[in-house]
Amino acid sequence: MQGCNRSQKIAICTVGLPARGKTYISRKLNRYFNWLGYKSRVFINGNYRREICGTECNSQFFDPHNEEAQKARSDCAKMALQDLIQFLKNGGDVGILDGTNITRERRLQIESDLKQSFNGIQTLWIESICNDSKVIQNNIRLTKINNPDYCNVNSDEATIDFLNRIKMYEQIYETITDDENLSYIKTMNVGADIIVHQVYGFLLSKIVSFIMNLHTYPRPIYLSRHGESQYNVDDRVGGDSDLSELGEMYADKLADFFFKEFPTKEMKNEIIFFTSTMRRAIHTSDVVANKLEIQPLQLKTLDEINVGICDGMTYTEIAQKFPSDFQERKINKLGYRYPRGESYLDLISRIEPVIFEIERSRQPVMIIAHQAILRCLYAYFHQNEIPEVPTLDIPLHCVIKLTPAAYFCDEKRVLINPQTGEISIKEEYVQEFVRSKSKQKSFIDL
Amino acid sequence: MQELGKQQKMVIGMVGLPARGKTYISRKICRYLNWMGFKSKVFNIGNYRRQICGTDCNSNFFDPGNKDASKARDECALLALNDMINYLRNEGDVSLYDGTNTTKQRRKLIMETLQQKFSEVQVFWVESICNDEDVILRNIQLTKLNNPDYVGKSSDEATQDFQQRIEQYAKVYEPIDMDENISFIKIIDIGNDIMIYNIQGFLQSKLVSYLMNLHIYPRPIYLSRHGESQYNVVHKVGGDSDLTQTGLMYAKQLGKYFVQELEGSRNIKMFTSTMQRALRTSNEVCELLGVEYYSLKALDEINPGICDGLTYQQIADKFPQDYEERKMNKLTYRYPRGESYLDVISRVEQIIFEIERSRLPVIVIAHQAILRCLYAYFHEHEVPEIPKLNIPLHQVIKLVPAAYYCKETRIKIDPMTGHWEIQDEATIKKVKSFLDL
């Protein structure tokens, strides 16, 4: 909930062997905090090491007996921590230290440095434990092979070297124990099993709930607005108008699209289908629901942004009747709240339970809703910055298919012509910076 | 989103030695679930045992070596289990099995019986472990000494016998192990440590979030409506009207009340809505107290949609059908373009978590429908009663959580004179309901 206790600084540090999902968790948490309105940033030990020691480090570099390398790595880790502390001092709310931190000594040093730098800082340690070799192999394949450390090496060699690197770390791995006196969360088996020790406070308990619902299962999320409505035709905002003729045609074509997209009965029954309680969305959803023989859940949380006293007006009328509000909204579309209505920030807060639900689901999700709502949902999964939310392009008669993956989100836009049923597809892959061969020098988060 | 949780029936099994807060936790969960729209009921094995074996059981009855007693206790456990299954088959969504269930064998028996008789059910275990002697002693004093098992005994005798009873259980206690292959949450030392294993599904996930916020600090919760607003005077619904003179006076008197009540302390959490009448009231209070408030849209009054700004008479004239519908089913009726009480309950859930979590006194200055929902949650009213609960203007409701219920006090504050009138609700009612579990 925005506004609850912003005064306390929070530092989160990961713990775990390589390829245990630490960066994944760090990034997800970072996304979540920024989403909630907290200034959050990830500081990745590995990036500092790459920048300073170069990327030609094979597994020998990680040998705990290699003293010179050890010193270099330790220095890099210190730099990352210092930058984190600086960030918090300069107005940051949450700093996330993404590193292996597998020895007691290292952890206690970090904890002590953090506690000395800030009065009353809350620290949380998140240890990710995984002993399932399939999961580990998959992690390596998905995220390490494209890592700058291996840009000159083929994928088999990379895998072998990486596994050796893990063995180096295993030699000195010490799991967190209670007598270290740290607040910690241990997550095992990709969030199915969690141990929580001395975790108190608003954000910290939210973190546990969030982590519980994370997984790396690549399920698609389909977002579509309702078909064109009467108010759309008249360019009016708000209202609870019904579909126009064109909108009804879209509903039919949309149903056809989904029918083909989920060919078998089992696949159709797996779909998690949400819509709002407004006519235009319900009518669109009903057509889809009938064709697929599934039932949508109508959630008031997905209702379009409430435009208060401007309900039923066109933008021109608003500009004429409430010129100062019109200006205010232009300047700050994100925070501007319609009198007796809502702001985009209110929406972001409102849809949080739906976001949790989507995060949790391992089955395909289908949402038929409204422009402002979908802007918020899209922004969350596509990792857009919050100020961008009110201007994101979510046109009518278009299905957006998002497939969140480890560090990025695949997007595919399916534009459906309501009259002809013709489909044109736009695909876009958000390039994760580590994938591209041309190096970007950035230690801090992405 | 309750429908997501209703896809499967659920049994929640409690595990733990006596005086570990199992009944407290199961009642809290039951309250939360019912309030959220899941029909839930607690089946307390101790009650079955009292009915069948009588209440004159001293600690020897609980000796695991006492074959006859063990047999009788097993029978009681199975009876409770059967009743639980019937409840789920009929109108229930969730059953809570409140007993010690401290051996692997007993847990296995329950899992197998459920598999046989009701295989579609999800089972989730909640184990409460506590090693703090002071907490245990306090639990015994607060909840056991009034227990029917000890009627007529002195409190020292009762405490001693109860501690012996605990020892009998401790002899055979086997905490939940991961290889029992069950979904569980272990709460250790009132949340100091929590272990979560194999959580599945929407409802279990929500319960875990809920349980993480519980504690046993007896902090008071104060609920008050804003002072009288202009719309109140003309009996209009909705709107964002300001306070009347009387309302403003109430706000000032309310501030004075809190200054005295909190004895000058500033360690409180205050929540209000984003509507003028609540903000103004809160501003007055905060000025006197020297604290800040959180203004949350989630606490805004119920949205009456197209009826906004009308009096009830006007609504009856203009929208006779809706007027009738609302009279018949005030809980689920949704104003066109507006909200229903059920929508408000859903919206206010996050506030419940916030209040539960807080170890500081909480003050909520909001609106009638909102407070009806909050009050109903803390004071354990049935959900259908919510729209009719009495939350008048110019009154503070003070709720102090005690063992299994909330002690309620109402303070009527006269806006003109500042005179307080304190009304003590009958808390005897609540104690009786514990016995009826």
Side-chain angles (χ1 to χ4, degrees):
Chain A
M1 243 182 339
Q2 285 166 330
C4 281
N5 209 351
R6 304 286 280 285
S7 51
Q8 204 163 35
K9 306 289 179 183
I10 296 186
I12 300 176
C13 307
T14 60
V15 176
L17 294 172
R20 261 59 175 180
K22 300 184 295 300
T23 301
Y24 174 71
I25 293 175
S26 308
R27 291 199 56 164
K28 287 297 261 194
L29 279 177
N30 190 48
R31 178 29 167 190
Y32 183 52
F33 289 132
N34 279 312
W35 182 256
L36 291 181
Y38 294 90
K39 279 213 188 63
S40 169
R41 201 180 278 183
V42 184
F43 298 84
I44 307 179
N45 274 358
N47 286 359
Y48 282 79
R49 190 257 309 150
R50 272 183 277 277
E51 179 66 16
I52 291 168
C53 312
T55 58
E56 298 284 325
C57 305
N58 66 17
S59 57
Q60 293 310 315
F61 184 81
F62 299 92
D63 186 336
H65 305 297
N66 181 342
E67 274 189 32
E68 216 183 284
Q70 276 294 84
K71 173 136 196 328
R73 288 167 60 208
S74 174
D75 287 342
C76 292
K78 286 207 179 80
M79 280 180 67
L81 182 60
Q82 280 315 311
D83 279 359
L84 185 154
I85 291 176
Q86 232 6 76
F87 169 70
L88 291 180
K89 286 203 163 123
N90 292 336
D93 297 309
V94 182
I96 304 176
L97 189 66
D98 174 13
T100 49
N101 299 320
I102 48 175
T103 60
R104 292 172 61 108
E105 193 196 330
R106 169 71 64 86
R107 292 192 287 269
L108 293 178
Q109 183 62 52
I110 294 174
E111 178 81 2
S112 150
D113 286 348
L114 285 168
K115 287 265 152 78
Q116 276 177 18
S117 310
F118 290 100
N119 224 349
I121 188 176
Q122 271 193 312
T123 59
L124 175 67
W125 292 81
I126 302 182
E127 179 170 1
S128 176
I129 299 174
C130 180
N131 299 316
D132 184 336
S133 56
K134 275 220 294 269
V135 173
I136 297 169
Q137 290 276 23
N138 201 37
N139 282 354
I140 297 178
R141 191 177 55 81
L142 283 177
T143 65
K144 304 300 172 188
I145 315 291
N146 290 316
N147 186 300
D149 291 343
Y150 295 117
C151 57
N152 293 323
V153 169
N154 78 42
S155 81
D156 281 338
E157 272 183 51
T159 310
I160 294 177
D161 186 79
F162 201 82
L163 288 170
N164 280 333
R165 190 195 296 194
I166 298 181
K167 287 211 180 81
M168 296 293 172
Y169 279 98
E170 274 171 348
Q171 289 175 33
I172 53 170
Y173 184 18
E174 296 170 292
T175 187
I176 302 180
T177 49
D178 286 355
D179 57 302
E180 289 176 52
N181 224 353
L182 307 169
S183 293
Y184 69 77
I185 300 172
K186 287 193 191 194
T187 143
M188 298 157 282
N189 292 330
V190 199
D193 311 326
I194 304 183
I195 297 179
V196 181
H197 179 79
Q198 294 194 333
V199 174
Y200 303 114
F202 165 68
L203 266 192
L204 296 192
S205 52
K206 258 181 138 37
I207 292 171
V208 178
S209 303
F210 185 70
I211 289 185
M212 255 181 1
N213 291 318
L214 287 186
H215 61 83
T216 47
Y217 213 77
R219 47 89 184 84
I221 302 166
Y222 295 87
L223 305 175
S224 169
R225 286 171 69 184
H226 51 82
E228 183 192 64
S229 70
Q230 297 292 352
Y231 263 32
N232 286 139
V233 174
D234 302 335
D235 263 328
R236 294 186 182 280
V237 299
D240 191 18
S241 59
D242 215 330
L243 296 176
S244 67
E245 227 185 282
L246 200 64
E248 288 187 22
M249 290 195 256
Y250 173 69
D252 276 323
K253 308 292 187 298
L254 184 64
D256 286 336
F257 167 76
F258 280 128
F259 193 77
K260 294 200 190 87
E261 189 79 356
F262 299 96
T264 70
K265 191 97 179 81
E266 287 83 40
M267 290 172 78
K268 291 185 179 61
N269 287 337
E270 272 200 332
I271 302 172
I272 294 177
F273 189 6
F274 294 140
T275 189
S276 77
T277 63
M278 304 186 108
R279 280 200 198 113
R280 51 201 190 271
I282 293 179
H283 285 173
T284 314
S285 304
D286 279 348
V287 177
V288 175
N290 285 335
K291 183 114 202 212
L292 272 64
E293 289 174 31
I294 55 178
Q295 263 292 79
L297 259 185
Q298 292 175 11
L299 301 175
K300 201 152 175 54
T301 358
L302 290 177
D303 279 5
E304 183 57 317
I305 189 170
N306 184 340
V307 297
I309 58 177
C310 298
D311 190 272
M313 301 169 81
T314 64
Y315 281 115
T316 322
E317 284 166 9
I318 299 175
Q320 283 168 353
K321 247 189 140 185
F322 308 111
S324 63
D325 280 85
F326 190 76
Q327 278 316 311
E328 263 190 71
R329 191 167 202 249
K330 273 182 112 177
I331 303 175
N332 183 5
K333 202 172 174 193
L334 184 69
Y336 169 81
R337 189 184 274 155
Y338 282 102
R340 311 289 319 281
E342 294 176 299
S343 65
Y344 267 96
L345 289 180
D346 292 326
L347 273 195
I348 287 174
S349 184
R350 202 210 310 151
I351 60 167
E352 197 186 324
V354 180
I355 290 189
F356 256 61
E357 215 25 56
I358 301 175
E359 280 284 18
R360 222 172 52 77
S361 70
R362 295 174 190 228
Q363 293 153 239
V365 176
M366 196 193 292
I367 300 187
I368 293 180
H370 310 264
Q371 184 173 229
I373 291 284
L374 292 184
R375 277 173 167 157
C376 296
L377 288 175
Y378 174 86
Y380 174 81
F381 288 102
H382 201 248
Q383 312 204 19
N384 293 85
E385 295 302 315
I386 299 224
E388 295 172 33
V389 171
T391 47
L392 290 170
D393 179 32
I394 312 275
L396 282 170
H397 305 164
C398 170
V399 180
I400 301 176
K401 177 180 176 183
L402 297 172
T403 313
Y407 298 158
F408 58 91
C409 186
D410 264 345
E411 173 184 349
K412 181 164 121 175
R413 291 200 175 210
V414 181
L415 296 132
I416 304 180
N417 184 315
Q419 283 161 322
T420 65
E422 198 185 310
I423 294 192
S424 70
I425 300 185
K426 288 204 296 200
E427 296 196 51
E428 178 201 311
Y429 298 93
V430 175
Q431 284 291 353
E432 166 57 41
F433 92 104
V434 290
R435 282 169 120 201
S436 62
K437 306 290 183 172
S438 62
K439 261 2 292 107
Q440 229 187 81
K441 310 220 162 179
S442 155
F443 314 132
I444 19 194
D445 109 285
L446 320 140
Chain B
M1 274 191 284
Q2 273 67 306
E3 289 81 346
L4 286 173
K6 289 206 182 171
Q7 283 159 5
Q8 245 187 332
K9 307 279 181 176
M10 188 154 93
V11 165
I12 301 175
M14 303 301 300
V15 177
L17 293 173
R20 261 56 177 183
K22 297 182 298 300
T23 302
Y24 172 73
I25 294 172
S26 42
R27 287 194 61 160
K28 287 294 266 190
I29 295 177
C30 189
R31 163 97 299 259
Y32 174 59
L33 290 175
N34 274 315
W35 191 79
M36 290 295 300
F38 298 97
K39 284 213 177 54
S40 317
K41 195 168 167 196
V42 180
F43 294 82
N44 178 293
I45 304 181
N47 283 356
Y48 281 79
R49 190 254 310 150
R50 272 181 280 275
Q51 266 179 30
I52 292 168
C53 313
T55 57
D56 227 343
C57 306
N58 68 15
S59 59
N60 289 323
F61 182 81
F62 299 93
D63 184 338
N66 181 340
K67 289 288 176 212
D68 283 338
S70 288
K71 189 158 172 293
R73 289 164 60 209
D74 276 350
E75 274 173 27
C76 295
L78 284 173
L79 268 171
L81 196 58
N82 275 329
D83 280 356
M84 214 168 65
I85 295 176
N86 280 333
Y87 174 69
L88 290 177
R89 284 227 170 90
N90 294 325
E91 78 269 27
D93 295 310
V94 181
S95 289
L96 289 113
Y97 194 58
D98 177 15
T100 48
N101 298 317
T102 40
T103 58
K104 288 192 186 182
Q105 187 232 20
R106 167 67 68 87
R107 295 191 285 270
K108 192 151 171 266
L109 173 65
I110 294 166
M111 292 297 283
E112 282 170 359
T113 314
L114 284 172
Q115 265 299 45
Q116 266 175 31
K117 299 199 169 179
F118 201 28
S119 56
E120 320 84 78
V121 79
Q122 254 196 349
V123 188
F124 178 57
W125 296 86
V126 179
E127 180 170 15
S128 174
I129 297 176
C130 182
N131 301 313
D132 185 335
E133 290 299 328
D134 289 332
V135 173
I136 298 168
L137 188 58
R138 188 169 147 261
N139 280 355
I140 298 178
Q141 287 166 345
L142 277 178
T143 66
K144 304 302 169 186
L145 304 184
N146 288 323
N147 187 302
D149 290 344
Y150 295 115
V151 164
K153 304 240 170 43
S154 83
S155 80
D156 280 340
E157 261 183 48
T159 307
Q160 214 185 15
D161 184 80
F162 199 82
Q163 280 166 334
Q164 281 168 354
R165 189 195 299 195
I166 297 179
E167 274 163 41
Q168 300 286 25
Y169 277 97
K171 282 186 205 166
V172 290
Y173 182 23
E174 297 169 291
I176 300 181
D177 203 300
M178 294 200 267
D179 44 300
E180 287 175 57
N181 225 353
I182 51 186
S183 302
F184 68 80
I185 175 173
K186 276 190 205 237
I187 304 174
I188 302 167
D189 288 331
I190 320 170
N192 196 47
D193 277 274
I194 300 179
M195 279 183 67
I196 304 164
Y197 186 76
N198 202 14
I199 299 294
Q200 302 189 354
F202 171 77
L203 201 51
Q204 288 186 20
S205 183
K206 262 191 126 31
L207 278 177
V208 170
S209 299
Y210 178 69
L211 287 170
M212 287 201 57
N213 288 312
L214 293 189
H215 61 77
I216 53 175
Y217 281 71
R219 49 92 186 83
I221 301 164
Y222 301 89
L223 307 176
S224 169
R225 285 172 70 182
H226 52 81
E228 179 190 72
S229 73
Q230 286 162 356
Y231 263 33
N232 286 140
V233 172
V234 294
H235 294 303
K236 289 192 179 177
V237 302
D240 191 16
S241 59
D242 206 341
L243 297 177
T244 58
Q245 265 305 93
T246 312
L248 191 55
M249 287 196 276
Y250 171 71
K252 293 192 204 280
Q253 299 296 0
L254 186 62
K256 289 197 193 135
Y257 164 76
F258 279 125
V259 169
Q260 188 157 343
E261 173 75 6
L262 300 169
E263 290 165 2
S265 159
R266 290 180 177 174
N267 285 332
I268 58 142
K269 268 196 132 147
M270 192 159 133
F271 299 109
T272 191
S273 76
T274 64
M275 305 186 111
Q276 271 195 77
R277 51 202 189 272
L279 285 172
R280 276 202 79 180
T281 312
S282 306
N283 273 326
E284 294 294 330
V285 172
C286 285
E287 257 189 57
L288 283 173
L289 278 180
V291 297
E292 282 179 6
Y293 56 72
Y294 294 109
S295 160
L296 304 172
K297 203 148 177 54
L299 286 174
D300 278 4
E301 183 57 314
I302 187 171
N303 184 343
I306 57 177
C307 299
D308 188 274
L310 303 177
T311 64
Y312 281 116
Q313 190 54 55
Q314 287 170 328
I315 298 175
D317 292 336
K318 254 186 129 184
F319 308 108
Q321 226 183 347
D322 282 85
Y323 188 78
E324 280 312 309
E325 264 191 68
R326 190 166 203 250
K327 270 179 109 174
M328 285 205 304
N329 196 350
K330 205 172 173 194
L331 184 70
T332 57
Y333 169 81
R334 188 184 273 155
Y335 283 105
R337 311 290 318 282
E339 294 177 300
S340 65
Y341 266 95
L342 289 183
D343 294 326
V344 175
I345 289 175
S346 182
R347 143 151 93 85
V348 142
E349 188 194 346
Q350 46 172 310
I351 314 284
I352 297 281
F353 272 53
E354 244 345 270
I355 298 178
E356 283 286 11
R357 227 174 39 78
S358 174
R359 292 164 194 232
L360 298 174
V362 175
I363 300 176
V364 181
I365 295 181
H367 309 262
Q368 186 174 231
I370 296 285
L371 293 183
R372 278 172 168 158
C373 296
L374 290 177
Y375 174 74
Y377 168 83
F378 285 104
H379 210 240
E380 301 208 28
H381 286 274
E382 295 303 316
V383 172
E385 293 171 34
I386 290 180
K388 306 175 239 161
L389 291 171
N390 184 26
I391 314 271
L393 284 170
H394 305 165
Q395 217 180 75
V396 178
I397 302 176
K398 175 178 175 180
L399 298 166
V400 183
Y404 293 143
Y405 57 90
C406 265
K407 191 158 171 276
E408 173 184 353
T409 320
R410 292 199 178 212
I411 302 102
K412 275 170 84 162
I413 302 181
D414 187 321
M416 312 282 197
T417 65
H419 172 68
W420 303 346
E421 188 193 315
I422 301 188
Q423 303 172 344
D424 238 314
E425 287 277 308
T427 51
I428 323 273
K429 252 198 312 182
K430 286 293 141 190
V431 175
K432 182 170 184 304
S433 77
F434 156 78
L435 301 177
D436 289 341
L437 263 187

